[in-house]
Amino acid sequence: MKYLLLKHYRGGPTPAVGYAPMDQWTPDEVDAHMQFMHDFAARLEERGEFVDGQALAPEGAFVRYDGEGRPPVTDGPFAETKDLIAGWYVIDVESWDRAVQLAGELSAAPGPGGKPIYEWLEVRPFLTSSPTVTE
Amino acid sequence: VNGSLLRDLVPAVIGVLVRRGAHFASAEDAVQDALVEAVRVWPDDPPRDPKGWLVTVAWRKFLDAARADASRRKRELAVEIEPPAAPAPSVDDTLRIYFLCAHPTLPPGSAVALTLRAVGGLTTRQIARAYLVPEATMAQRISRAKRTVSGVRFNQPGDLATVLRVLYLVFNEGYGGDVDLAAEAIRLTRQLVALTDEPEVSGLLALMLLHHARRASRTGPGGRLVPLGEQDRSLWDTDLITEGVAILQAALARDRLGEYQAQAAIAALHVDARTVEETDWVQIVEWYDELLLLTGSPVVRLNRAVAVGEADGPQAGLAALADVNADLPRYAAVTAYLHERAGNLKLAAELYAEASRAATSVPERDHLTREAARARQLLRP
């Protein structure tokens, strides 16, 4: 079963632990965090659970159709209050429980002082494209 | 079977088939089929004349496909069954395949894909993996590209500048999937040097070799980006440097300067320094001036400001930024660096953080975040 682990720049439940933005950490703390992320992705691949991982720039806009012969309307840059996606992993695992376990692992990425950042991650099951046979 | 030797023959063989009257698109398919057969047959039964073998097999594949097509459409074959006897001048035909694949009517992404297939002899699956798109998507992109160039007359002179641009795009993509795109770009540019008599082609080859020579030193643990000034110079490939410099010197001696030669000259000055402190920044600025005259490119103007900062001090560098467009992706990063050199750490840290938000790749973003953290740490008592 495939699941999306969604990382957010902002939005979601109230952070469990408050911490400064990464550019205000020490270089060693930054390195440790990046190494953790790198190792996490490598472990997913080793265990045959990795499907895709991508990061998104914070910039962008909402876009919609605005009628025949008119250019699309854009709404952006994003307001500070909006929920903002930072990136994702797509994993292919045996169960919801396993997806939750992995999200919990990822959420323990180290931050200032080497302590876990307790980041909220959104976990979403993919709808499969073939119907479940139940007869 | 040596894959890259086999693939070296691809554009020439397509050229022969087209010269014999095949359409480029069907010729290209036939040569791909022949490559598959070569990989299967050659290990047990290596041909004495690999190119002749490929031409014969590809021509047979082409005729099979044309016959199947003809019977499907219930019409006569459009081509002669027997190939014309006179062999065509193959250098020109090979070159024309390069021109066709990088035709100015193609969007760059399509020109890249078509070049990798019809000049590079890579399979659609390899190209798709290298560019992280589904194979069906890449197949569609390639067949649309073939259709776009199907109306181009084969004998028409081509545009070398677009070919060079396409090869440089491939080079800059680096690694992708199981294909080393940088090495592939170098191989195709080497072939092109042999087919043409243009110092700019040599300039591009020299530029690629001089960049490639530093590859091992450009990334650290966990894929982190290592900037030029911090690279371990003992990891640089001295054979590639020697070759790149020799090719560049021979090109420059012909006194027909172009943007790739100028860029290669800058790369050569960098690799010529045993330590970063020994870098001849004054000469590098002079080459940036030449490059600016040749291209007028805003990105060149931005990079020139960095070089000016090193040659004449950070204030001069900041002054050189005055006429640079601040919307450029790396503008904040360059400004941050120059302010740090000028001793304004607080502003530098803020600008590094801003630059990390504007970064266009993950390694670049992570690097700039680290730079922001480093500048901030220096600020702490």
Side-chain angles (χ1 to χ4, degrees), chain A residues 21-104:
Chain A
M22 208 190 293
D23 60 274
Q24 291 170 26
W25 304 0
T26 69
D28 286 347
E29 289 162 355
V30 171
D31 281 344
H33 181 85
M34 285 165 183
Q35 190 64 47
F36 178 96
M37 300 306 282
H38 183 263
D39 294 346
F40 178 81
R43 280 199 306 276
L44 283 183
E45 283 196 48
E46 273 165 33
R47 289 187 302 236
E49 295 172 324
F50 177 86
V51 178
D52 183 35
Q54 300 290 338
L56 298 176
E59 307 297 320
F62 282 98
V63 181
R64 71 160 170 80
Y65 175 65
D66 196 37
E68 191 62 43
R70 294 161 65 95
V73 171
T74 60
D75 180 359
F78 301 118
E80 278 298 320
T81 52
K82 289 238 171 73
D83 183 77
L84 193 60
I85 296 167
W88 65 77
Y89 284 105
V90 176
I91 54 172
D92 194 354
V93 294
E94 293 308 320
S95 64
W96 164 260
D97 289 349
R98 177 64 183 150
V100 168
Q101 191 182 18
L102 283 169

Side-chain angles (χ1 to χ4, degrees), chain A residues 23-25 27 31 34, chain B residues 224 366 370 373 376-377 380:
Chain A
D23 60 274
Q24 291 170 26
W25 304 0
D31 281 344
M34 285 165 183
Chain B
R224 63 184 275 186
D366 291 354
R370 207 177 277 118
R376 245 177 240 286
Q377 191 177 44
R380 291 192 194 103

Side-chain angles (χ1 to χ4, degrees), chain B residues 325-379:
Chain B
N325 182 352
D327 290 339
L328 287 173
R330 285 183 54 251
Y331 183 89
V334 168
T335 323
Y337 178 73
L338 290 169
H339 278 298
E340 181 180 353
R341 300 262 317 190
N344 196 342
L345 279 174
K346 190 169 181 307
L347 182 55
E350 283 160 16
L351 286 165
Y352 278 128
E354 183 190 324
S356 76
R357 290 188 290 273
T360 55
S361 76
V362 172
E364 194 187 332
R365 181 192 67 185
D366 291 354
H367 170 69
L368 290 165
T369 305
R370 207 177 277 118
E371 291 293 271
R374 187 185 47 75
R376 245 177 240 286
Q377 191 177 44
L378 292 173
L379 274 172

Side-chain angles (χ1 to χ4, degrees), chain B residues 112 150 232 279 371:
Chain B
V112 161
S150 66
D232 176 355
T279 309
E371 291 293 271

Side-chain angles (χ1 to χ4, degrees), chain B residues 72-95:
Chain B
R72 202 162 46 239
R73 293 193 207 163
K74 302 261 184 259
R75 64 166 171 74
E76 287 302 298
L77 268 180
V79 292
E80 297 293 322
I81 298 298
E82 288 305 313
S90 78
V91 166
D92 283 3
D93 287 350
T94 307
L95 186 56

